[in-house]
Amino acid sequence: DWNTGHLLLDILSFRDTKTLRSGGSIDTLLSSLPKDVIIWGGNLTDRITKDYPAVDLLKDELYLARNAAITADCALQIAAPLLSGTWQDSPSLVIGWGRIGKCLSRMLKALGNDVTVASRNPAARASLISLGYQSIDPEAITRNASAYHIVFNTAPCPVISEEDACKWKDCVKIDLASVKGIAGENVVWARGLPGSHAPESSGKLIAETVSRLWKEMEE
């Protein structure tokens, strides 16, 4: 028996098309829900949105921006113990100029780090230079492998092949993308960092986002 009008799923909500991220079958869940329950989650499928009132937090720009900042902060926490020097002495490369790439680059710069950002967009590279960053085209990444002590990938596509990754033996490699962008061994694939490394901040953000969107729905 359901005595509530709302159901909050994990964000992301699913492992695959049939399984909830928290475990259990999607079919079993849906068969037990009354039709007026509002479902909250992330990357909600058509199977939910077509039959139930639903709110997808991963379509909310403010949530995405704040979650990116938490992710970037967690990435620095993971990276720091792996470095052999200080941030000031460890030049870094950030691949991608999306939400996480922007937050991460800003935080690194605030630490006094020598940051280079790789972006395919010429306009973005021009803006980066005007903002005080070094910037390169991703095609030039492997030609400059020895220049960096640490690489953060935020681009959800193959960027560095296994063959090219061999040139980065002494470089800390952290992949933050949903799809691996750095092939080879000795790569830290760090997904879902807010929930695993900053659960209090992540939970607070989810609660504040649900509260805000709920109020907007009632207005």
Side-chain angles (χ1 to χ4, degrees):
D1 294 331
W2 291 81
N3 297 311
T4 181
H6 298 262
L7 175 64
L8 177 61
L9 300 176
D10 289 320
I11 304 166
L12 301 163
S13 299
F14 309 107
R15 294 186 186 277
D16 52 48
T17 57
K18 295 184 178 180
T19 311
L20 296 167
R21 189 178 178 194
S22 57
S25 165
I26 296 173
D27 292 333
T28 300
L29 173 67
L30 296 182
S31 66
S32 65
L33 289 176
K35 293 298 183 181
D36 58 348
V37 167
I38 299 175
I39 300 178
W40 302 73
N43 280 356
L44 297 177
T45 64
D46 291 342
R47 297 177 63 192
I48 288 179
T49 57
K50 71 179 182 180
D51 292 326
Y52 297 89
V55 183
D56 195 323
L57 270 63
L58 293 182
K59 294 183 178 179
D60 181 75
E61 289 296 331
L62 181 55
Y63 172 84
L64 291 172
R66 293 178 63 189
N67 192 63
I70 295 174
T71 300
D73 190 278
C74 292
L76 295 180
Q77 294 178 37
I78 291 175
L82 303 177
L83 297 176
S84 58
T86 66
W87 285 111
Q88 289 86 349
D89 293 328
S90 305
S92 67
L93 172 66
V94 175
I95 303 172
W97 189 238
R99 295 183 186 90
I100 296 174
K102 290 173 181 176
C103 290
L104 187 54
S105 300
R106 176 180 58 80
M107 292 178 183
L108 285 165
K109 193 173 179 61
L111 290 170
N113 185 256
D114 182 9
V115 188
T116 298
V117 181
S119 173
R120 297 186 185 280
N121 188 328
R125 293 199 298 272
S127 295
L128 282 159
I129 292 171
S130 70
L131 291 170
Y133 299 98
Q134 299 181 67
S135 182
I136 61 172
D137 188 293
E139 297 295 329
I141 286 176
T142 54
R143 295 198 298 271
N144 295 277
S146 62
Y148 313 112
H149 291 189
I150 183 166
V151 175
F152 297 93
N153 176 55
T154 69
C157 61
V159 179
I160 300 175
S161 68
E162 186 168 0
E163 179 181 357
D164 288 334
C166 294
K167 303 174 184 177
W168 305 67
K169 290 181 180 179
D170 298 324
C171 181
V172 175
K173 300 180 284 290
I174 298 180
D175 203 325
L176 302 169
S178 55
V179 176
K180 283 187 178 180
I182 306 176
E185 300 179 350
N186 300 320
V187 179
V188 179
W189 194 26
R191 300 183 67 193
L193 291 184
S196 61
H197 284 70
E200 182 176 340
S201 296
S202 178
K204 180 181 178 183
L205 173 58
I206 292 171
E208 290 176 349
T209 303
V210 169
S211 178
R212 171 173 55 83
L213 294 178
W214 191 348
K215 288 180 182 178
E216 292 177 3
M217 292 167 60
E218 293 180 334
E219 292 177 353

